[in-house]
């Protein structure tokens, strides 16, 4: 059979050897192809092609910087098909548009190319190292997009400039360091699958937003939008620019009938600015400034909430009508029952070690525990997602190993009687967080028992049944591991505090819920 | 805000082994890769890469996550070179002012270890798991590769030089395998303080003009000056001066570089260590 040799030359095209050899191997598997080679047109490689009878393929090559695709085929048609296939594969692997040869249009590599593909886009999700995040955000805002900026390590100065630009352009900049949002039912980042409904949220608190939206879902209502502002938005240097913009949008949104704001307490200046924006609001607003003073909130006509759970309950009551507090009463009773059950189980030290993957949940636990345990005890609440623990390691919401090490260490610590955990479900979280932590819990308890000590584990699951992990399955796994499960993070902290001090009576804490 | 001017993204260089850069009559982007960009500066080459690549002769390192394609850099972009910055079209400005200097010069690691034979065995064992590289199995590669090995075994300078020339430009990829073998070979000779290191590197650099890719030719020219990539510094120091237990790990790290470049350059290095050991044992001149 007479073989035909054909070639294509890509001037100044540079690819790594594995890619080129892989493409050659694929071409040789095509019907009618006897041999294929992708070589830089160096004299040595052209000599190899000549030895193989394929020198014609390199005839138009200009020099060593050119890439030659050479095929030896049974027919012109087979050769043409192979060269087309090579063009497609080279284009698919193109990192920067190297080469000028025939190619399909590659997938969008830049914001500009993305907008060509999707001209109706109105939001950009940016997750790049901080060095590059500012410039990409600037491009997105200038292109008229709203931005969900997941990246951190953006300077305060850059954040302020970007947010001022967003305000000028009438766009929303969520972030930097924004991990959670739900826009029109679409979850972004670490978000949960929650029912759609009339409650809109704005939060400078990722896991706080997750906890409140999940509890809203559990209490029978749903979420219109959950807007993240980034952790530093309420810093005095930023002045709450995104929070204020979010409030304006939620108050104007026809799908939102109740607004919830979530944050740790901002500075007095920023708090005043935010609360001022609520005066005369035509919709009820719940304000959960964790551990903050409720009086200024009431003064502007808004509803203060001390915990994420109470914020969710209030919002649902305001959206759907008062429930009479039956749900809260049921949860109270459940906690009291668990305290009674735990009474006597814990002998000896009752120090609490909180090991949290969510910073806001750790913060809430600290606030709640203040009502139950006195300072000066050996309790420690750790936010294991904090930078000091995650340098060079994945976040504990994704990779449980760091927290598992701490859980086992708690079992070895004679001062620890209670371990307090959050288990967070949702998109982007670990596929089986309860299953991942259960062995460490078993090991810690075994270590404590061998040393003649008790170790109780108290936890709550932040999630919904519609989350990929499934709330019921996760809760069952934890119960089977001997975990005392509370219906919310605040309840879990309360349960741990009550057990620690032996408070089995239904005494209300000092901080109003 | 300085970052927001019309020259696009500003990227702050971390380390630089580039010579003091002066304005160049003609410079353009030669190739764009996942985390690196090569720039033709007249007849020279400037590489800008993420820190993970390690120090590069004639190279500038920037923070990891550098994705020049995503930043809009394209082949053929005009490049403006100055003392304080390198401008890649209007897409990226590389700020050089804070870059720490790094020298690519590979100095002899003296004294040579007494157990060089055992260390070379450990390298070969570790290499066995690394794959064949880009030259073995390459059509037409077996012969020239074998001749080069045989020449090394004879220990004759002219034979090594001549058979080395035959593998210039031979093999796949941005830096053909034969060139990687030769650069690794002269690097190991340099680290061992062997007097053939510079003469061979110069010979192959002269021969490589118009016979290999611009990037590979640039690495030959750097080798001719005694300059090599940091990954070669690291692995050769581990082989010649580090604990024997660390050799396998150092080889694993080195062969992970690039697609086959790591394996190929270490192949050359092991041949050079063989030559060095034979010379010390009086087996060759």
């Amino acid at each position: 059979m007479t073989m035909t040799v054909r070639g294509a030359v890509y001037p100044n095209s540079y690819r790594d050897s594995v890619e080129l050899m892989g493409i050659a191997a694929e071409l040789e598997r095509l019907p009618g192809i006897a041999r294929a080679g992708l070589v830089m047109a160096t004299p040595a490689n052209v000599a190899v092609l000549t030895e193989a009878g394929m020198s014609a393929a390199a005839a138009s090559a200009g020099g060593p910087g050119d890439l030659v695709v050479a095929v030896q085929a049974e027919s012109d048609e087979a050769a043409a098909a192979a060269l087309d296939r090579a063009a497609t594969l080279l284009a698919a692997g193109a990192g920067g548009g190297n080469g000028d040869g025939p190619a399909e249009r590659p997938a969008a590599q830049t914001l500009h190319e993305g907008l060509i593909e999707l001209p109706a886009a109105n939001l950009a999700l940016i997750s790049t190292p901080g060095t590059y995040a500012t410039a990409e955000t600037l491009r997105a805002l200038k292109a008229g997009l709203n931005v969900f900026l997941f990246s951190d390590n953006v300077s305060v100065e850059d954040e302020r400039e970007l947010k001022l630009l967003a305000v000028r352009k009438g766009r929303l900049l969520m972030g930097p360091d924004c991990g959670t949002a739900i826009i029109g039912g679409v979850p972004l980042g670490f978000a949960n699958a929650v029912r759609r409904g009339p409650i809109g949220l704005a939060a400078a608190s990722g896991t706080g937003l997750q906890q409140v939206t999940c509890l809203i879902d559990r209490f029978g209502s749903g979420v219109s939008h959950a807007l993240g502002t980034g952790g530093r938005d309420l810093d005095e240097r930023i002045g709450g620019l995104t929070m204020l913009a979010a409030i304006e949008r939620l108050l104007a949104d026809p799908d939102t009938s109740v607004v919830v704001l979530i944050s740790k307490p901002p500075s007095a200046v920023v708090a005043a600015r935010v609360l001022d924006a609520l005066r005369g609001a035509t919709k009820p607003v719940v304000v959960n400034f964790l551990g903050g003073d409720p009086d200024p909130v009431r003064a502007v006509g808004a509803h203060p909430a001390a915990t994420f759970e109470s914020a969710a309950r209030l919002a649902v009551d305001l959206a759907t009508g008062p429930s009479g507090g039956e749900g809260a009463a049921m949860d109270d009773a459940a906690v009291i029952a668990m305290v009674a059950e735990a009474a006597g189980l814990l002998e000896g030290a009752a120090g609490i070690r909180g090991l949290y993957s969510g910073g806001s949940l750790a913060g809430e636990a600290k606030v709640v525990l203040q009502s139950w345990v006195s300072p000066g005890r050996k309790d420690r609440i750790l936010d294991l997602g904090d930078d000091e623990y995650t340098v060079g390691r994945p976040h504990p919401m994704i990779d449980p190993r760091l927290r598992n090490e701490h859980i086992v260490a708690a079992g070895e610590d004679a001062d620890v009687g209670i371990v307090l955990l959050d288990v967070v479900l949702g998109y982007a979280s670990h596929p089986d967080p309860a299953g991942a932590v259960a062995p460490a819990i078993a090991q810690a308890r075994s270590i404590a028992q061998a040393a003649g000590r008790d170790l109780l584990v108290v936890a709550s699951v932040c999630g919904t049944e519609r989350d990929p992990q499934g709330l019921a399955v996760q809760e069952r796994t934890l119960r089977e591991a001997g975990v005392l499960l509370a219906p919310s993070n605040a309840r879990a902290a309360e349960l741990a505090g009550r057990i620690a001090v032996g408070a089995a009576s239904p005494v209300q804490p000092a901080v109003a819920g | 805000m300085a970052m927001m001017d019309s020259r696009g993204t500003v990227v702050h260089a971390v380390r630089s082994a580039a010579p003091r850069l002066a304005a160049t009559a003609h410079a353009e982007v030669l190739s764009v890769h996942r985390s690196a960009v090569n720039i033709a500066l007249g007849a020279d080459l400037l590489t800008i890469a993420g820190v993970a690549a390690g120090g590069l002769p004639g190279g500038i390192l920037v923070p990891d996550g550098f994705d020049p394609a995503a930043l809009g850099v394209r082949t053929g972009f005009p490049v403006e070179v100055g003392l304080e910055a390198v401008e890649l079209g209007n897409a990226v400005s590389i700020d050089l002012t804070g870059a720490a200097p790094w020298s690519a010069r590979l100095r002899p690691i003296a004294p040579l270890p007494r157990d060089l034979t055992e260390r070379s065995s450990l390298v070969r064992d570790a290499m066995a798991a690394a794959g064949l590289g880009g030259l073995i199995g390459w059509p037409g590669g077996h012969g020239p590769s074998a001749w080069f090995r045989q020449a090394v075994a004879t220990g004759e300078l002219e034979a090594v030089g001549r058979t080395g020339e035959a593998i210039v430009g031979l093999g796949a990829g941005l830096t053909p395998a034969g060139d990687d073998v030769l650069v690794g070979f002269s690097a190991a000779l340099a680290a061992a303080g062997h007097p053939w290191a510079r003469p061979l590197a110069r010979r192959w650099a002269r021969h490589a003009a118009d016979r290999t890719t611009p990037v590979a030719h640039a690495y030959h020219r750097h080798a001719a000056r005694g300059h090599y990539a940091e990954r070669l510094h690291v692995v050769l120091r581990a082989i010649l001066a580090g604990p024997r237990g660390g050799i396998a790990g150092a080889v694993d790290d080195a062969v992970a570089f690039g697609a086959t470049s790591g394996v190929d350059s270490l192949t050359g290095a092991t041949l050079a260590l063989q030559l060095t050991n034979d010379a010390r044992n009086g087996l060759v001149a």
Side-chain angles (χ1 to χ4, degrees), chain B residues 99-126:
Chain B
W102 178 76
S103 172
R105 179 176 295 282
L106 178 56
R107 300 187 187 282
I109 299 166
L112 276 182
R114 294 176 192 277
D115 58 348
L116 184 55
T117 302
E118 291 82 357
R119 287 171 176 268
S120 299
S121 288
L122 290 172
V123 175
R124 280 193 299 276
D125 289 344

Side-chain angles (χ1 to χ4, degrees), chain B residues 66-135:
Chain B
F66 178 56
D67 186 343
L71 294 173
V73 180
R74 293 292 181 267
T75 302
F77 266 19
V79 177
E80 286 180 31
V81 172
L83 291 177
E84 295 191 347
V86 177
E87 312 284 354
L88 308 181
N90 281 329
V92 177
S93 175
I94 308 293
D95 172 16
L96 303 175
T97 56
W102 178 76
S103 172
R105 179 176 295 282
L106 178 56
R107 300 187 187 282
I109 299 166
L112 276 182
R114 294 176 192 277
D115 58 348
L116 184 55
T117 302
E118 291 82 357
R119 287 171 176 268
S120 299
S121 288
L122 290 172
V123 175
R124 280 193 299 276
D125 289 344
M127 290 283 295
L132 298 176
L135 196 58

Side-chain angles (χ1 to χ4, degrees), chain A residues 11-21 35-45 48 51-52 63-66 93-100 109-111 113 128-136 138-139 142 155 157-159 161-162, chain B residues 1 3-4 8-12 28 30-34 62-75 90-91 133-134 138-141 166-176 179 210-215 258-261 264:
Chain A
N12 295 318
S13 183
Y14 302 99
R15 304 304 173 87
D16 71 52
S17 49
V18 169
E19 181 186 359
L20 296 180
M21 289 191 281
R35 298 187 71 170
L38 280 80
V39 304
M40 301 305 293
T42 62
N45 288 340
V48 169
E51 274 186 38
D66 294 348
N98 278 340
D100 303 313
Q109 299 280 325
T110 66
L111 180 71
E113 290 169 4
T128 66
T131 309
Y132 311 104
T134 300
E136 290 306 317
L138 179 66
R139 283 199 187 88
K142 284 184 173 178
S155 72
E157 294 76 20
D158 282 0
E159 179 175 351
E161 291 296 315
L162 289 169
Chain B
M1 189 170 14
M3 292 181 65
M4 301 297 166
T9 305
V10 175
V11 178
H12 298 279
E28 67 174 20
L30 181 68
S31 63
V32 180
H33 305 275
R34 194 170 297 121
V62 296
D64 275 333
F66 178 56
D67 186 343
L71 294 173
V73 180
R74 293 292 181 267
T75 302
N90 281 329
W138 181 251
I167 63 173
V168 166
L170 185 66
L174 175 66
T175 54
D179 301 292
D210 298 325
R211 290 189 173 89
T212 190
T213 65
V215 176
T260 54
S261 286
D264 295 327

Side-chain angles (χ1 to χ4, degrees), chain A residues 39 67 69 99 133 193 220 253 307 439:
Chain A
V39 304
L67 173 66
V69 180
D253 176 41
T307 66

